[in-house]
Amino acid sequence: MFANESPATGERLSEVEETEATEIGRAVARARAAQAAWADRALHERVKVVSKVRSRLLGAAEEIAALVRSETGKPLAEALLGEVLPSADVVTYWASVVEEQLEPWEPEMDALSYPRKEARIHREARGVVALVTPWNFPFALPLRTIVPALLAGNAVVMKPSEITPRTGARIADLFAGLLPEGLFSVVQGGATAGEALVASEVDLVVFTGSPATGRKVATICAERLVPCTLELGGKDAAIVLADADLDRAANGVVWGAMMNAGQNCGAVERVYVVAEVSAAFTAKVAQAAKSLRIGVDVGPLTTAAQRAVVARHVDAAKDAGAEVLTGGEAVDEASARLGYRPTVMKVAKAQEDTLALLRDETFGPVLPIVEVADVEEAISRANASRYGLTASLWSRDLPRAEQLARRLRAGVVTINNHSFTGAIASMPWGGVGESGWGVTGSPSALDHLTRPRLVVLDRNRATRELWWYPYSPTLEKLAIAFAALRGGAASLGARLSALLSVVGLLRRRSAELSRGAVDP
Ligand code: NAD
């Protein structure tokens, strides 16, 4: 079941053993046993321990990048720049902000209604986090969650993709000897192992993958009443306006579409260009894509199944009359055994609704360009997708572009660039619709990796609170006077009179409570 041949070179990869379902249960039990003591450790100690991973990771940068390349086929430059370096930054970022972010804070309480009380909100670890990840960024994606999850006091059991199990195991090695036994472990396997992990006694599931699997994961979590976060697919649109710098826009969308051979949830998968600049822009894109070197700039597809999806989308579009400007065919070379030529296609608006190439995630080095009349049409077409992960706008008018950005249905909108922030730990990453509902990166990630625990301290020595038993007409009048005081009274005079009533009624209510008998 595990891929044993490198898509990059065809070399034989080491054997990996699948983890049995019973052993997955045991890994979760070990994680639970270790978690409470870990969460009890001072946060600065947890920071100290986890921070050690940074130098281990950087010291092994080339070796890790080569491993990632051997399993995915991506160029070494992409493995280094897109996986290894950002992962070191993930450790740096969280080590520097986590103490401030997890600091307890005090919400306000109205002293009149709730006298002599104070409250503090502590951020508590969820417990045991199940992490299920895909193969396209097998090193960076898991670490984006593992680092803040551990720092927040959680245990983590991770299942990497069955297509990149060795990179998953290498992540476990990075933590070897640093953490308490069982606090973080990696289990191996495909759908069966993933389901077994999600259905086990975990407290939170963090899933990244396809919408189809995300739905299954969410269903299991719903049955167990366990929260989950879902980072799913994308069909990113790039909108090119008449005032765009066309050279930058063409180079940018080509990089955004072809990087990682297009196997990127935040890849440009549709371009909407306004008619005025359509011909000039399209020619530049085709030229830029044609100049890319297979195996150097654009790696192979990671799996034969993925290449088949790409070919299916492109062939159906060709059959429907879309024009191939460059590429449009598979290529098998020593440097890219599962290659697909960087492809640019011109697609007519009329075809958009029926073509998988413009509706479903292609996940390959293919860029369909659609000419539109104006910006309004571009926005409505961009927003018409089931997905909503990221989008980009290309224009020299930044204030206008920023306003337009807020009308795009996407979790991330980049102006004059595309989706590069996915690798930056301080930036939130997440989508809407079938792109899921998770957020990784930024302090927002802690919203699901922790839960708030409110602790209230009451210094009130009265034998009863105002709102405790026994209820009375005075209490009712007091509540009505509070409503008037808080905005129900129409005029300043009425509000003043409500204030006087509140003061008088508070006095009467206190008296009846200390007497232990209510006014009639
Ligand atoms: P996938 O859904 O096939 O698999 C993802 C993971 O889920 C793998 O580890 C797999 O073994 C596991 N899995 C499969 N069936 C399962 C089940 N029934 N229960 C539990 N786990 C199960 O996705 P993939 O092909 O590995 O990855 C590509 C997808 O991931 C694309 O759709 C891509 O857009 C998406 N992705 C999203 C983001 C994001 O941040 N939104 C990032 C990277 C990839």
Side-chain angles (χ1 to χ4, degrees):
M1 75 149 324
F2 291 102
N4 282 325
E5 261 184 26
S6 166
T9 58
E11 76 184 292
R12 251 198 115 58
L13 303 173
S14 61
E15 296 290 326
V16 177
E17 213 172 292
E18 184 163 355
T19 312
E20 306 233 335
T22 47
E23 180 45 34
I24 291 174
R26 279 198 282 273
V28 171
R30 279 196 297 273
R32 184 163 301 290
Q35 188 266 326
W38 172 249
D40 273 351
R41 280 210 208 170
L43 180 52
H44 69 264
E45 276 185 38
R46 298 203 298 264
V47 170
K48 208 167 137 193
V49 170
V50 173
S51 295
K52 292 188 178 147
V53 163
R54 185 173 180 279
S55 52
R56 286 188 176 186
L57 186 164
L58 289 170
E62 273 191 77
E63 171 246 312
I64 292 169
L67 172 62
V68 169
R69 173 173 158 68
S70 73
E71 287 200 307
T72 61
K74 67 179 73 184
L76 207 63
E78 284 183 355
L80 285 162
L81 293 168
E83 305 241 28
V84 181
L85 289 174
S87 299
D89 294 346
V90 160
V91 181
T92 310
Y93 169 75
W94 283 108
S96 68
V97 304
V98 73
E99 290 184 68
E100 188 190 337
Q101 291 300 327
L102 295 183
E103 187 72 14
W105 59 282
E106 296 183 10
E108 279 184 20
M109 253 192 289
D110 167 25
L112 208 56
S113 309
Y114 307 107
R116 310 203 65 218
K117 302 181 204 328
E118 61 189 78
R120 255 181 292 285
I121 298 171
H122 302 258
R123 279 193 181 266
E124 305 290 347
R126 286 270 172 196
V128 181
V129 178
L131 177 61
V132 180
T133 52
W135 46 264
N136 60 336
F137 290 96
F139 190 71
L141 278 177
L143 282 162
R144 259 172 91 82
T145 293
I146 293 165
V147 170
L150 290 175
L151 288 175
N154 294 289
V156 178
V157 181
M158 167 193 168
K159 192 205 78 63
S161 166
E162 61 276 33
I163 294 157
T164 51
R166 299 156 196 90
T167 306
R170 186 67 184 85
I171 292 174
D173 287 349
L174 281 179
F175 288 89
L178 294 178
L179 300 171
E181 175 67 27
L183 186 78
F184 169 54
S185 59
V186 170
V187 298
Q188 300 283 11
T192 309
E195 256 185 68
L197 176 58
V198 170
S200 68
E201 294 293 314
V202 296
D203 302 301
L204 168 71
V205 176
V206 176
F207 173 80
T208 305
S210 62
T213 311
R215 253 187 210 101
K216 291 183 193 160
V217 167
T219 304
I220 297 174
C221 290
E223 285 293 334
R224 291 199 56 238
L225 292 177
V226 161
C228 64
T229 73
L230 306 174
E231 298 274 358
L232 308 177
K235 190 77 193 167
D236 283 11
I239 294 177
V240 181
L241 300 183
D243 68 345
D245 173 338
L246 294 188
D247 287 315
R248 180 174 174 82
N251 289 328
V253 298
V254 166
W255 177 80
M258 309 300 172
M259 191 272 279
N260 215 28
Q263 301 165 119
N264 174 8
C265 50
V268 182
E269 295 220 354
R270 302 174 286 157
V271 177
Y272 298 104
V273 56
V274 296
E276 280 156 276
V277 293
S278 169
F281 170 78
T282 305
K284 285 176 192 291
V285 169
Q287 199 185 3
K290 210 176 277 178
S291 72
L292 298 177
R293 296 154 300 170
I294 297 267
V296 179
D297 301 313
V298 181
L301 278 300
T302 297
T303 66
Q306 193 54 50
R307 185 164 74 164
V309 172
V310 174
R312 182 157 49 77
H313 284 195
V314 171
D315 292 347
K318 274 196 232 170
D319 291 347
E323 188 185 343
V324 178
L325 302 176
T326 185
E329 61 184 5
V331 50
D332 284 282
E333 288 176 2
S335 56
R337 296 167 58 261
L338 294 171
Y340 199 89
R341 283 202 197 287
T343 301
V344 179
M345 297 180 87
K346 214 170 139 187
V347 182
K349 277 190 278 194
Q351 297 165 334
E352 187 174 21
D353 292 343
T354 50
L355 287 186
L357 184 64
L358 283 157
R359 294 171 53 81
D360 303 334
E361 196 176 39
T362 304
F363 230 50
V366 183
L367 187 56
I369 301 180
V370 180
E371 181 183 304
V372 292
D374 54 25
V375 62
E376 289 306 319
E377 188 183 8
I379 289 182
S380 78
R381 286 182 183 274
N383 285 348
S385 174
R386 308 195 299 281
Y387 295 102
L389 191 54
T390 106
S392 59
L393 272 159
W394 300 78
S395 161
R396 286 193 173 93
D397 184 346
L398 294 184
R400 176 172 175 245
E402 189 167 2
Q403 278 189 342
L404 293 171
R406 300 192 57 188
R407 292 173 54 199
L408 284 169
R409 188 176 163 274
V412 178
V413 181
T414 314
I415 295 162
N416 296 328
N417 213 318
H418 195 91
S419 111
F420 68 97
T421 54
I424 303 178
S426 57
M427 309 267 165
W429 179 264
V432 297
E434 292 199 14
S435 294
W437 62 64
V439 177
T440 46
S442 84
S444 297
L446 293 174
D447 291 346
H448 58 262
L449 295 173
T450 63
R451 61 186 173 75
R453 177 186 281 133
L454 175 67
V455 178
V456 181
L457 285 86
D458 200 331
R459 300 181 204 285
N460 194 354
R461 307 297 278 269
T463 43
R464 290 187 177 89
E465 293 284 356
L466 288 174
W467 68 88
W468 289 3
Y469 296 130
Y471 298 155
S472 73
T474 303
L475 181 62
E476 288 166 10
K477 284 182 199 144
L478 183 60
I480 291 164
F482 266 130
L485 185 62
R486 288 174 192 179
S491 65
L492 186 63
R495 223 166 293 157
L496 271 175
S497 129
L499 177 63
L500 290 176
S501 298
V502 164
V503 173
L505 287 163
L506 275 174
R507 209 175 290 132
R508 269 170 62 189
R509 176 65 175 159
S510 302
E512 68 182 15
L513 288 179
S514 53
R515 266 199 328 274
V518 299
D519 294 339

